[in-house]
């Protein structure tokens, strides 16, 4: 590289050019001697940039052997781009001592700060861990920007902030003063402090004595002060360069000054600030004169369009001009209806690209959910692609297994959490897994359905013991649970009280359940690395107390930030990148997805420690800096030859707002519709996506109406099923002939029927046991409510209502001088032509005039019209049974009254409702009973003894509510819904 040029080595590669390839081509052209190239040092912003440039050298070498220059990552710029400049491997690749003590690992520092916060503020461990990560970021920001504890104290004087900011500011100030002593005692340095020392030492050394080889600093869209100080030296060294990505050389000084002085959201803000920190002017920057052969990039007019779109609004008035046609070439914008459709549009675009030999494509999005959707959509085309952002450790099998075990133990082995752990893909892998799963499923059916068992492993054992089933299957389940499953889980009961012991316990149980599979693969190696890292923090972990209900959240907190990435790319042509991974990389087709506000750009995360007022006083980067970096990522992505921008019109069921980048680009270009050049037939991407899953013609099905032979039909039914048989015969068929029963939900709340059963049982016991003292009612209510499980909330909320219901019934009994209870909760049967009708009467009263049938209703009460029109005949059929002497202990007699007792337990505890209305006479009751019996016999004759089809939803007015068998009957389909 010649040093004769008197100008400083400040260059830029235009946004419409492939940065890494042009840089590699230029360095190869400037260093014809391979040894000269090998002696060079290239400083890049991240490890990803190093990999991208290495790949570019391979492409530019045309397969020839090549000695690459030394490439060193100065650090990994995260999305805050200045609020945290994470440690890279700079010291590993640069000559000379970097710093004395090693830096403190990120996780170890977070745990140490969490232990301090937990003790100082009495926080629960998950909250302390999350707050510690934000505190570490605040400490980094202060260290990176070179602010002292004294400056922090002056920026936040006592009483200057609101109360919550005041508390956090004092914590930050105290820790900022004391933290160096903690690090000194451990023989460590903060990563940011170590990097600052290293960079400043290097800058001082090179300023005094420039290295004999050339140095190139490339790819920095923004830089913290220490990196900027190094760049100031490098750019003035003979034969060295500072090469910026996508610097807009068309900006005039007025616009550049306006951006630099505080427009943090502009894509050029970071680079203009770096140029200013180097003591240079924008006019001193020159375009990089080298172009990679075979890489055309986007049309140059595209860069002008992007510059116009991103122009500061305050200065845009004089720059309104129509874009050149060339700027729109290869640029498409597609607005999908919803995220699933957006993912399919992207998958179709990438699928089409694969057909072009050697072409490359990438989806760039900060929306990881969208990225996962695209991965799934591409699998339907036989394309397996990985997300370079990786998968969170907590979402992998090993990580999620640990979380599942912690959640199960933390919730006292409640059914849902227990099953999640026992059925996990890593539980009992190997030859015995099938038998294990069979036992788990049987345990689910026999012990974990319905109301929640008593807490703990003993509660599951008690549920099995109380099931009352003596079958061989139940005995096998109980033996498996007691001899195999329960001993494996026993170490988790009770959970250890501190984080170190908790993690040890979870690891031991997970190893016993999963075996070697826990540590296999990339995810297993990542989990092993997590435990190795935590071992260094054992004293701090031991100081973190953990409540059982916080165990799962703590485990997830320790895994936060840990990602598992595949070692090798799964597809040679396609990639999925986050905006961070996409920096300095390019492809023939770049798809930028998720372009909605609060996604791209995202909402800056609030800083609980550095209040905006403190940031302003100290001159720290604002939270809006992240938006500026995302704007730069967006602008660089538009430099690909082909660009597809996508967004969904709705997100989470609500209308979404287009990204400000989307809106500004559309405004600058005058609107960009989808070009629709996906297929030879000229259909657009959106049309293709919508047509892909649309059937050629709708498939219409008929209303099901099975008609089995009369000999196979049931000969027994209950009085409550008569209404079902009339309104929805198919439900009766599915229940009695197909023998289908809906499974109770796991960990269920007591249903209305179960709560109503409690009231029935209380009244039954009161009458059967002959209680007369109202004081005994409390004991009865508590005993029956206890059968609903250990539910203090239910007892507290529902017990008063139950008491009011029961008192209402007892008060009516005491006030009634005519009717006397004769039987309660009594079952009876009635037969006709071999068909048995059974029923259960809540209460049968007697008087001189005859019998009365009483039905307690804690839910809805049938309307008088439904009773009179024979849609609700339960009471009438029970009355017919009573008249026939079907109830033991109740002598046959004429029924003269049918009564509902509506029990609500509310402000009005109950209501007496005659089934046929208050004006009904005994003769009306007699006629109604006769009509109901005739109606039942007609139903039994046609459906149970005849061949009438069991038609679904025969009477929609009466069967309008969703039933248990409506999916089986495919009701929504034949109704056209």
């Amino acid at each position: 590289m010649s040093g004769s040029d008197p100008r400083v080595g400040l260059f830029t590669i235009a946004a419409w050019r492939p940065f890494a390839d042009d840089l590699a081509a230029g360095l190869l052209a400037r260093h014809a001697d391979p040894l000269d190239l090998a002696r060079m040092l290239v400083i890049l912003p991240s490890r990803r940039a190093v990999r991208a440039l290495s790949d570019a050298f391979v492409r530019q070498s045309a397969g020839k052997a090549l000695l690459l220059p030394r490439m060193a990552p100065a650090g990994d710029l995260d999305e805050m781009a200045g609020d945290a400049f994470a440690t890279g491997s700079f010291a590993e690749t640069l000559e000379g001592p970097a710093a004395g003590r090693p830096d403190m690992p990120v996780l170890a520092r977070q745990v140490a700060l969490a232990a301090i916060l937990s003790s100082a503020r009495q926080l629960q461990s998950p909250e302390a861990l999350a707050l510690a990560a934000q505190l570490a970021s605040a400490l980094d920001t202060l260290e990176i920007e070179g602010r002292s504890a004294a400056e922090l104290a002056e920026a936040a004087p006592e009483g200057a902030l609101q109360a919550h900011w005041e508390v956090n500011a004092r914590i930050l100030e105290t820790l900022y003063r004391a933290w160096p002593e903690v690090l000194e005692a451990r023989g460590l340095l903060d990563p940011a402090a170590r990097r600052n020392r290293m960079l400043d030492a290097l800058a001082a050394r090179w300023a005094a004595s420039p290295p004999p080889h050339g140095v190139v600093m490339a790819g920095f869209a923004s830089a913290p002060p220490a990196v900027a100080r190094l760049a100031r030296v490098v750019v003035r060294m003979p034969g060295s360069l500072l090469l910026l990505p996508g610097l807009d050389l068309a900006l005039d000084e007025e616009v550049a000054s306006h951006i630099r002085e505080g427009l943090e959201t502009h894509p050029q803000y970071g680079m203009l600030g770096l140029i200013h920190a180097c003591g240079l002017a924008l006019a001193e920057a020159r375009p990089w004169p080298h172009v990679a052969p075979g890489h055309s990039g986007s049309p140059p007019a595209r860069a002008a369009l992007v510059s116009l779109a991103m122009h500061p609004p305050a200065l845009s008035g004089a720059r309104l001009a129509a874009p050149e046609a060339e700027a729109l070439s290869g640029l498409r914008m597609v607005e999908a209806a919803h995220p699933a459709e957006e993912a399919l549009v992207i998958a179709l675009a990438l699928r089409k690209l694969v057909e072009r030999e050697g072409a490359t494509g990438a989806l760039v999005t900060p929306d990881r959910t969208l990225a996962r959707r695209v991965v799934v959509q591409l699998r339907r085309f036989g394309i397996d692609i990985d997300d370079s952002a990786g998968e969170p450790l907590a979402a992998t099998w090993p990580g999620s297994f640990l979380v599942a075990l912690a959640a199960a133990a933390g919730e006292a082995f409640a059914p849902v959490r227990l099953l999640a752990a026992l059925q996990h893909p890593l539980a009992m892998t190997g030859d015995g897994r099938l038998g294990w799963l069979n036992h788990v499923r049987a345990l689910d059916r026999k012990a974990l359905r319905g109301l929640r068992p008593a807490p703990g492993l003993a509660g599951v054992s008690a549920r099995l013991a109380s099931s009352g089933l003596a079958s061989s299957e139940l005995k096998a389940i109980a033996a498996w649970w007691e001899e195999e499953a329960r001993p494996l889980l026993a170490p988790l009961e009770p959970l250890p009280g501190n984080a170190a012991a908790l993690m040890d316990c979870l690891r031991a149980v997970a190893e016993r359940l999963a075996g070697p599979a826990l540590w296999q693969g990339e995810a297993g190696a990542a989990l092993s690395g997590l435990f190795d890292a935590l071992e260094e923090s054992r004293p701090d972990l031991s100081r973190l107390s953990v409540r059982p209900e916080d165990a799962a959240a703590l485990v997830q907190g320790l895994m936060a930030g840990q990602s598992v990435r595949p070692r090798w790319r799964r597809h040679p042509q396609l990639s999925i990148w986050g905006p961070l991974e996409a920096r300095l990389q390019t492809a023939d087709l770049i798809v930028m997805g998720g372009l909605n506000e609060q996604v791209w750009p995202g909402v800056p995360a609030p800083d609980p420690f550095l209040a905006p007022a403190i940031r302003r006083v100290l001159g720290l980067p604002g939270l809006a800096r992240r938006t500026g970096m995302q704007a730069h990522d967006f602008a660089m992505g538009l430099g690909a030859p082909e660009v597809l921008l996508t967004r969904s019109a709705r997100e989470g069921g609500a209308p979404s707002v287009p990204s400000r980048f989307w809106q500004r680009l559309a405004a600058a270009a005058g609107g960009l519709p989808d070009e629709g050049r996906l297929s030879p037939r000229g259909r657009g991407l959106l049309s293709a996506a919508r047509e892909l899953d649309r059937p050629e013609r709708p498939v219409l099905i008929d209303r099901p109406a099975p008609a089995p032979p009369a000999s196979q039909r049931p000969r027994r039914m209950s009085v409550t099923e008569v209404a079902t048989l009339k309104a929805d015969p198919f439900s009766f068929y599915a229940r009695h002939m197909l023998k289908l029963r809906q499974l109770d939900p796991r960990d269920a709340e007591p249903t209305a029927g179960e709560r109503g059963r409690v009231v029935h049982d209380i009244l039954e016991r009161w009458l059967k046991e002959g209680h007369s003292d109202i004081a005994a009612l409390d004991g009865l209510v508590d005993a029956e409510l206890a059968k609903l499980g250990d539910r203090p909330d239910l007892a507290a909320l529902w017990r008063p209502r139950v008491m009011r219901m029961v008192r209402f019934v007892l008060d009516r009994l005491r006030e009634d001088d005519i009717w006397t209870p004769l039987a309660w909760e009594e079952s009876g049967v009635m037969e006709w032509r071999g068909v048995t009708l059974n029923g259960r009467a809540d209460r049968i009263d007697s008087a001189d005039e005859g019998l009365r049938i009483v039905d307690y209703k804690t839910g809805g009460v049938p309307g008088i019209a439904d009773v009179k029109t024979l849609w609700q005949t339960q009471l009438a059929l029970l009355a017919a049974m009573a008249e026939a002497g079907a109830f033991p202990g109740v002598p046959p007699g004429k029924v003269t009254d049918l009564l509902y007792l509506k029990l609500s337990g509310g402000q009005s505890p109950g209501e007496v409702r005659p089934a046929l209305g208050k004006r009904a006479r005994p003769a009306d009751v007699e006629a109604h009973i006769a009509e109901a019996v005739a109606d039942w016999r007609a139903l039994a004759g046609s459906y149970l003894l005849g061949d009438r089809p069991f038609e679904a939803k025969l009477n929609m007015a009466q069967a309008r509510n969703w039933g248990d068998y409506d999916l089986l009957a495919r009701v929504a389909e034949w109704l056209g819904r």
Side-chain angles (χ1 to χ4, degrees):
M1 184 184 299
S2 173
S4 59
D5 194 334
R7 293 176 291 179
V8 295
L10 177 61
F11 291 90
T12 181
I13 294 178
W16 52 274
R17 292 295 309 165
F19 185 91
D21 287 276
D22 280 8
L23 174 57
L27 294 180
L28 287 171
R30 289 177 170 232
H31 299 274
D33 184 354
L35 295 180
D36 187 27
L37 178 65
R39 284 189 286 267
M40 274 200 61
L41 173 64
V42 182
I43 302 174
L44 297 158
S46 67
R47 296 176 188 270
R48 299 179 186 90
V50 170
R51 289 195 296 270
L53 184 57
S54 298
D55 293 342
F57 271 114
V58 172
R59 289 191 294 269
Q60 295 305 312
S61 65
K64 298 179 181 178
L66 185 67
L67 292 175
L68 295 180
R70 288 178 297 162
M71 290 178 277
D76 288 325
L77 275 169
D78 74 358
E79 290 185 315
M80 289 305 292
D83 279 3
F85 192 75
T87 305
S89 57
F90 207 65
E92 300 170 6
T93 50
L94 296 183
E95 67 281 355
R101 304 194 302 267
D103 57 359
M104 190 176 195
V106 173
L107 183 59
R109 180 173 61 157
Q110 183 182 359
V111 172
L113 290 172
I116 295 172
L117 288 172
S118 178
S119 174
R121 296 190 60 182
Q122 304 302 310
L123 300 175
Q124 300 303 327
S125 51
E127 185 182 0
L129 199 64
L131 203 57
Q134 295 174 310
L135 178 58
S137 177
L139 292 173
D140 279 347
T141 298
L142 293 171
E143 184 66 48
I144 288 170
E145 299 297 327
R147 300 296 183 261
S148 66
E151 289 176 305
L152 178 60
E154 292 175 4
E158 206 66 50
L161 300 172
Q162 294 181 356
H164 65 287
W165 285 115
E166 185 77 33
V167 171
N168 285 353
R170 298 286 78 80
I171 292 174
L172 178 60
E173 180 188 346
T174 302
L175 268 174
Y176 198 42
R177 293 180 186 276
W179 187 241
E181 298 178 7
V182 175
L183 294 172
E184 181 74 29
R186 302 186 183 202
L188 300 171
L189 274 177
D190 244 354
R194 182 171 182 269
R195 183 179 53 254
N196 279 355
R197 293 185 187 183
M198 175 185 64
L199 293 172
D200 286 340
L202 191 61
R205 184 192 313 154
W206 284 351
S209 177
H213 52 75
V215 177
V216 176
M217 292 185 69
F220 291 89
S222 177
V227 175
R229 290 191 291 269
L230 179 64
R232 184 184 181 99
V233 174
V234 169
V235 77
R236 289 175 171 81
M237 291 192 317
S240 296
L241 304 172
L242 175 61
L243 195 58
L244 303 180
L247 180 65
D248 189 354
L249 299 178
L251 292 176
D252 57 44
E253 189 55 39
E254 178 191 5
V255 175
S257 176
H258 179 77
I259 295 172
R260 189 179 64 248
E261 288 173 2
L263 195 58
E264 290 186 311
T265 58
H266 195 278
Q268 300 291 314
Y269 176 84
M271 289 181 290
L272 292 174
L274 176 58
I275 292 172
H276 183 72
C278 290
L280 303 175
L282 177 61
E284 297 181 78
R286 291 171 284 165
W288 184 242
H290 305 283
V291 175
H295 290 78
S296 60
S298 65
R302 179 93 56 82
L305 172 65
V306 175
S307 178
L308 173 63
M310 296 299 176
H311 201 67
L315 303 176
S316 294
R319 298 198 37 160
L320 295 177
E324 298 180 23
E326 186 186 26
L328 307 183
S329 175
L331 183 61
R332 289 178 289 178
M333 298 175 76
V334 176
E335 182 178 84
H338 47 76
E341 187 175 81
E342 181 184 7
L344 182 54
V345 165
I346 295 170
L348 285 171
L350 296 176
R351 164 67 182 84
K352 185 65 178 176
L353 181 89
V354 171
E355 298 177 0
R356 292 157 47 186
E357 185 177 355
T360 58
L363 165 63
V364 181
T365 179
D367 187 346
R368 301 336 302 161
T369 301
L370 175 63
R372 288 192 292 270
R373 286 178 183 268
V374 172
V375 169
V376 172
Q377 290 289 357
L378 283 170
R379 285 176 185 159
R380 71 191 295 184
F381 306 126
I383 297 174
D384 191 14
I385 184 174
D386 57 86
D387 186 349
S388 68
E391 186 177 13
L393 178 57
T396 63
W397 283 5
S400 62
F401 192 32
L402 237 65
V403 173
L405 290 172
E411 293 192 21
F413 298 100
V416 174
R417 296 299 189 184
L418 176 60
L419 285 173
L422 295 179
Q423 292 179 325
H424 193 277
L426 290 184
M428 286 297 166
T429 55
D431 296 338
R433 178 164 173 80
L434 181 59
W436 171 273
L437 288 179
N438 287 336
H439 281 112
V440 171
R441 291 162 185 154
L443 177 72
D444 175 27
R445 295 195 307 273
K446 301 298 183 183
L448 303 181
R449 294 278 174 171
L451 300 177
R452 177 184 290 194
L457 300 172
V460 179
S461 298
R463 174 66 64 86
L464 286 170
S466 65
S467 61
L469 299 176
S471 65
S472 58
E473 181 189 15
L474 182 65
K475 291 178 180 178
I477 297 169
W480 168 81
W481 171 254
E482 296 295 341
E483 297 171 10
E484 188 172 353
R486 184 173 175 179
L488 288 171
L489 298 172
L492 296 174
E493 192 177 44
L495 277 175
N498 69 75
L502 170 68
M503 296 303 292
D504 289 342
C505 181
L506 289 173
R507 175 170 57 182
V509 172
E511 280 185 323
R512 292 174 65 187
L513 278 164
L518 184 67
W519 312 111
Q520 290 176 355
E522 291 143 354
L527 183 64
S528 176
L530 174 67
F531 276 106
D532 290 343
L534 291 177
E535 194 62 33
E536 300 179 20
S537 301
R538 179 168 290 275
D540 293 318
L541 283 172
S542 300
R543 295 164 54 197
L544 277 176
S545 61
V546 186
R547 301 181 304 177
E549 58 267 32
D550 293 331
L554 176 70
V555 175
Q556 288 179 307
L558 291 172
M559 293 182 185
Q562 307 283 331
S563 294
V564 179
R565 295 180 175 87
R567 296 179 183 177
W568 313 107
R569 287 179 59 181
R570 293 177 183 169
H571 199 279
Q573 292 176 264
L574 303 180
S575 303
I576 297 180
W577 299 325
L580 186 63
E581 290 82 19
R583 290 174 187 170
L584 307 189
Q585 302 198 76
T586 191
D588 296 313
L589 168 65
I590 290 290
V591 181
M592 289 191 276
L595 283 165
N596 284 331
E597 281 294 304
Q598 301 186 356
V599 177
W600 194 345
V603 179
D607 189 332
F609 291 100
L610 291 172
I614 296 178
R615 285 181 174 271
R616 285 194 299 270
V617 172
L618 294 179
L620 301 178
L623 296 179
R625 177 75 63 87
R626 175 184 177 184
T627 302
M629 289 303 299
Q630 291 182 316
H632 183 266
D633 294 335
F634 178 76
M636 293 297 290
L638 288 169
E642 298 176 52
V643 178
L644 171 64
L645 308 179
T646 68
R647 65 172 295 266
S648 59
R650 298 185 69 85
E651 186 75 40
S656 59
V657 178
S659 165
R660 67 194 70 177
F661 307 147
W662 173 288
Q663 295 184 61
R664 292 178 69 85
L665 183 63
L672 293 171
D674 175 24
E675 291 179 355
R677 295 173 182 170
L678 177 66
S679 66
R681 288 178 291 173
R683 293 184 301 176
L685 281 171
L686 199 55
S687 299
R690 289 172 177 172
E691 290 293 330
L692 189 62
D693 293 324
R694 182 179 298 165
E696 294 184 3
R697 53 186 174 84
V699 179
L700 301 178
I701 67 167
D702 296 327
R703 183 191 306 231
S711 59
Q712 298 179 5
R713 301 191 179 205
R715 295 292 187 268
R716 190 177 189 91
M717 66 185 301
S718 71
V719 294
T720 57
E721 292 174 327
V722 174
T724 302
L725 185 58
K726 291 184 70 174
D728 188 8
F730 183 86
S731 291
F732 183 91
Y733 163 82
R735 181 177 180 85
H736 288 278
M737 297 204 66
L738 301 182
K739 306 298 183 184
L740 296 176
R741 298 288 189 276
Q742 184 181 30
L743 286 175
D744 291 332
R746 306 181 185 100
D747 205 1
E749 293 288 335
T751 64
E754 287 168 332
R755 287 183 290 181
R757 187 75 254 159
V758 167
V759 177
H760 284 233
D761 292 344
I762 293 170
L763 293 170
E764 179 185 7
R765 287 186 59 185
W766 179 272
L767 294 172
K768 278 187 176 180
E769 297 171 9
H771 292 286
S772 59
D773 185 2
I774 200 67
L777 184 59
D778 286 333
L780 283 177
V781 171
D782 291 338
E784 293 302 322
L785 284 176
K787 295 179 181 179
L788 297 180
D790 183 19
R791 301 298 301 271
D793 55 336
L794 184 67
L797 295 174
W798 204 57
R799 187 181 188 279
R801 300 180 69 91
V802 173
M803 292 293 292
R804 287 192 289 269
M805 293 180 196
V806 175
R807 286 179 183 274
F808 173 78
V809 176
L810 298 181
D811 289 344
R812 300 291 80 73
L813 286 173
R814 281 196 301 271
E815 295 169 0
D816 197 334
D817 297 330
I818 300 175
W819 295 96
T820 302
L822 185 62
W824 39 85
E825 302 299 333
E826 194 66 68
S827 297
V829 296
M830 181 172 66
E831 292 192 4
W832 175 75
R833 291 181 58 187
V835 177
T836 300
L837 180 70
N838 59 74
R840 183 184 180 94
D842 291 345
R843 199 177 85 210
I844 303 176
D845 297 341
S846 67
D848 293 341
E849 61 190 67
L851 301 176
R852 178 174 69 177
I853 308 298
V854 180
D855 191 20
Y856 305 135
K857 290 293 186 183
T858 55
V861 177
I864 295 174
D866 287 340
V867 175
K868 289 183 176 181
T869 55
L870 302 180
W871 284 108
Q872 295 292 335
T873 59
Q874 177 184 354
L875 284 185
L877 293 175
L878 290 172
M881 291 182 185
E883 291 183 340
F887 294 104
V890 179
K894 185 178 181 180
V895 176
T896 60
D897 197 6
L898 304 175
L899 191 68
Y900 290 115
L901 282 184
K902 166 64 177 173
L903 305 178
S904 62
Q907 188 173 3
S908 174
E911 182 182 355
V912 178
R913 292 191 184 180
L916 293 172
K918 296 180 180 180
R919 297 181 180 180
R921 298 170 299 171
D924 298 327
V925 175
E926 181 180 5
H928 175 66
I929 294 172
E931 291 173 358
V933 171
D935 178 71
W936 168 70
R937 288 176 177 174
L939 286 173
S942 59
Y943 281 110
L944 306 188
L945 300 177
D947 57 1
R948 184 175 179 179
F950 292 96
E951 189 172 350
K953 300 290 185 182
L954 182 61
N955 188 288
M956 290 298 298
Q958 294 294 327
R960 59 185 178 274
N961 293 332
W962 187 262
D964 293 342
Y965 305 101
D966 285 5
L967 282 177
L968 179 66
R970 301 172 70 173
V971 172
E973 294 181 57
W974 52 260
L975 284 179
R977 296 178 181 172

